[in-house]
């Protein structure tokens, strides 16, 4: 979930949180309602409508999350933002059919909601509020009809080919049937960039919220394109080819004074913590060390403040899988084991350097400047820097 979010409910084992910026939307609704002569009842109707609208948004995101669960993909959480909701999956599907199913599951929920609401309207007529919701000033529909129309609009808008929105993900999945996943993501992100520019143009003249959506589309698309390039570079490589082999460890019974001395002695920032039998029992990061020093002083033990529960990874494990595990666990460093013995560390910094170097060699080969004698990416000099 996004930083600055507050958990509000847990549904199907998935945390639903509200980002603090969501309060800006609430404030804007109240401000517009009051400046247009609305009373407290009318303002309450508008806020109630926004609450109903974002309930539909949560259900939309739950559609994505539950569809992803069918394929063994967990969801870290759902976050509500002023421009909508985001379901943070632990990993993105790489099978086109799976991505299409997951992408369409969200809009499908809105189709069902709209159908039910239109059914209510047909059966009993609309229930009209005392005031029209601020988002639809000038419209003469009741609140049920407004909500039905909004769900139709959510379907149509989300299916635009603006990656990483739902329609853009369907586009990426279709492209991936004819090209590599990384190339498909690149092309989908380019189309998303064009759509973002269109959103900005429309937002400047019609609705400023489109500018914020454009920013989300552009930044999100570029981030996913980078992640796809990273995964393509890591594919087929094992952890041992990219791990750090020159590193220091800390013992759980050492003090923070000892840890501070190790931090100052070299460039290593995150330390695996071992017990008397040299078994990995935790990780001490620089940030944790600084916080513990301010809280407990130099005499506290490393074992009392270290991060527990960080996964370990085998030296022979697939590097792409290890990268996904690192992201899912939110641990900045993974201890690497060979037959239960600590032989290396995997860090985001070292992964980034590996991707950069491997990418440079791949570009050289693609330009026709390389030859069959170029150094392989698993040569020891690449995995021995500390």
């Amino acid at each position: 979930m996004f930083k600055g979010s507050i958990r509000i409910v847990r549904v199907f084992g998935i945390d639903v949180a509200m980002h603090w910026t969501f309060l800006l939307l609430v404030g804007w609704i109240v401000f517009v309602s009051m400046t247009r002569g609305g009373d407290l009842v009318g303002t309450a109707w508008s806020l109630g409508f926004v609450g109903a609208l974002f309930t539909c948004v949560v259900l939309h995101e739950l559609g994505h999350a539950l569809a992803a669960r069918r394929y063994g993909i967990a969801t870290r959480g759902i976050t509500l933002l002023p421009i909508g909701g985001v379901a943070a999956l632990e990993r993105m599907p790489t099978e086109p059919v799976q991505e299409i199913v997951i992408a369409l599951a969200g809009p499908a929920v809105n189709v069902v909601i709209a159908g039910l609401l239109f059914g209510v309207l047909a059966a009993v007529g609309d229930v009209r509020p005392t005031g029209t919701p601020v988002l639809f000033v000038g419209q003469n529909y009741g609140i049920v009809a407004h909500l039905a129309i909004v769900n139709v609009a959510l379907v149509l808008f989300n299916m635009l080919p603006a990656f990483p929105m739902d329609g853009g993900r369907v586009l990426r999945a279709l492209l991936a049937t004819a090209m590599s996943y990384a190339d498909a993501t690149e092309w989908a992100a380019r189309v998303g960039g064009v759509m973002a520019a269109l959103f900005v143009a429309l937002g400047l003249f019609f609705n400023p919220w489109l500018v914020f959506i454009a920013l989300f589309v552009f930044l999100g698309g570029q981030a996913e394109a980078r992640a796809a390039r990273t995964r393509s570079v890591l594919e087929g490589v094992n952890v041992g080819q990219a791990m750090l082999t020159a590193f220091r460890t800390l013992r759980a019974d050492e003090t923070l004074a000892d840890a501070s001395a190790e931090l100052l002695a070299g460039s290593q920032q995150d330390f695996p913590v071992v017990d008397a039998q040299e078994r990995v029992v935790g990780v001490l990061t620089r940030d944790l060390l600084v916080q513990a020093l301010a809280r407990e002083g130099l005499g506290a033990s490393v074992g009392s403040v270290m991060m527990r529960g960080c996964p370990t990874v085998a030296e022979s494990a697939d590097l792409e899988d290890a990268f996904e595990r690192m992201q899912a666990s939110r641990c900045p460093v993974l201890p690497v084991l060979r037959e239960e013995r600590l032989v290396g560390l995997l860090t985001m910094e070292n992964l980034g350097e590996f991707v950069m170097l491997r990418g440079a060699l791949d570009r050289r080969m693609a330009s026709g400047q390389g030859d069959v004698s170029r150094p392989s990416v698993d040569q020891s000099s690449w995995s021995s820097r500390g």
Side-chain angles (χ1 to χ4, degrees):
M1 290 186 290
F2 292 79
K3 290 183 178 179
S5 299
I6 303 172
R7 192 178 79 170
I8 53 178
V9 70
R10 188 173 177 85
V11 185
F12 297 116
I14 300 169
D15 289 335
V16 179
M18 179 181 67
H19 194 261
W20 70 267
T21 54
F22 187 84
L23 298 176
L24 298 178
L25 175 62
V26 175
W28 180 76
I29 293 292
V30 173
F31 173 77
V32 173
S33 178
M34 300 304 290
T35 55
R36 289 179 176 174
D39 55 15
L40 291 178
V41 174
T43 301
W45 270 108
S46 292
L47 292 176
F49 177 79
V50 170
L53 167 60
F54 276 87
T55 298
C56 295
V57 170
V58 170
L59 293 174
H60 173 110
E61 299 302 331
L62 281 172
H64 291 311
L66 296 179
R69 184 179 289 179
R70 284 187 55 199
Y71 299 112
I73 302 173
T75 301
R76 297 195 190 103
I78 294 171
T79 304
L80 293 179
L81 303 166
I83 60 173
V86 177
L89 304 185
E90 283 194 348
R91 62 180 177 86
M92 299 307 300
T94 54
E95 294 293 329
V97 172
Q98 293 182 6
E99 180 159 32
I100 289 174
V101 170
I102 294 171
L104 293 180
V109 171
N110 297 115
V111 170
V112 172
I113 294 173
L116 292 174
L117 292 174
F118 281 124
V120 170
L121 291 173
V124 300
D126 199 357
V127 180
R128 294 191 176 267
T130 56
T132 304
V134 165
L135 296 178
F136 292 91
V137 169
Q139 302 289 340
N140 246 349
Y141 309 123
I143 196 166
V144 176
H146 278 311
L147 200 56
I149 292 169
V150 164
N151 275 276
V152 173
L154 284 173
V155 173
L156 298 176
F157 186 74
N158 274 282
M159 290 311 298
L160 291 174
F163 186 78
M165 289 168 53
D166 299 336
R169 294 195 179 281
V170 172
L171 172 64
R172 193 257 298 271
L174 294 174
L175 290 173
T177 63
M179 61 182 69
S180 72
Y181 186 83
D183 289 341
T185 306
E186 289 276 3
W187 280 103
R190 290 173 187 173
V191 175
V194 173
M195 295 298 298
L198 179 61
F199 290 163
V200 170
L202 293 174
L204 293 176
F205 292 100
F206 299 105
N207 190 331
W209 289 107
L210 286 174
V211 177
F212 294 103
I213 294 174
L215 185 64
F216 166 79
V217 167
F218 179 77
L219 294 179
Q222 294 301 309
E224 289 221 22
R226 287 193 298 271
R229 286 195 296 269
T230 298
R231 284 194 294 269
S232 70
V233 170
L234 301 182
E235 188 177 1
V237 180
N238 64 44
V239 170
Q241 294 171 261
M243 68 182 183
L244 289 168
T245 57
F247 61 92
R248 303 296 294 272
T249 63
L250 294 171
R251 293 195 314 276
D253 58 357
E254 289 185 291
T255 65
L256 297 188
D258 299 320
S260 300
E262 288 287 357
L263 180 68
L264 293 173
S267 59
Q268 187 174 341
Q269 297 183 355
D270 305 314
F271 298 87
V273 182
V274 298
D275 61 14
Q277 288 75 43
E278 297 297 317
R279 295 173 300 192
V280 178
V281 293
V283 169
L284 182 67
T285 67
R286 181 185 62 179
D287 291 343
L288 274 179
L289 173 58
V290 172
Q291 294 168 14
L293 284 173
R295 187 177 62 249
E296 303 184 34
L298 290 169
S301 69
V302 169
S304 67
V305 301
M306 67 184 181
M307 181 184 297
R308 299 177 184 272
C310 280
T312 58
V313 62
E315 181 185 22
S316 59
D318 186 84
L319 187 56
E320 185 179 2
D321 292 340
F323 173 61
E324 291 178 352
R325 289 183 65 188
M326 184 180 292
Q327 289 184 309
S329 68
R330 300 183 181 179
C331 286
V333 56
L334 294 185
V336 182
L337 305 182
R338 180 194 301 155
E339 298 178 353
E340 303 304 318
R341 184 170 62 88
L342 180 65
V343 294
L345 297 179
L346 194 62
T347 69
M348 282 296 186
E349 179 183 11
N350 207 52
L351 270 175
E353 292 173 344
F354 180 85
V355 169
M356 178 179 63
L357 294 173
R358 173 83 176 258
L361 287 176
D362 287 346
R363 287 193 298 273
R364 176 177 172 82
M365 293 297 292
S367 67
Q369 298 178 18
D371 54 56
V372 294
S373 64
R374 74 176 174 89
S376 107
V377 294
D378 62 350
Q379 61 183 15
S380 60
S381 61
W382 279 39
S383 59
S384 61
R385 60 179 301 276

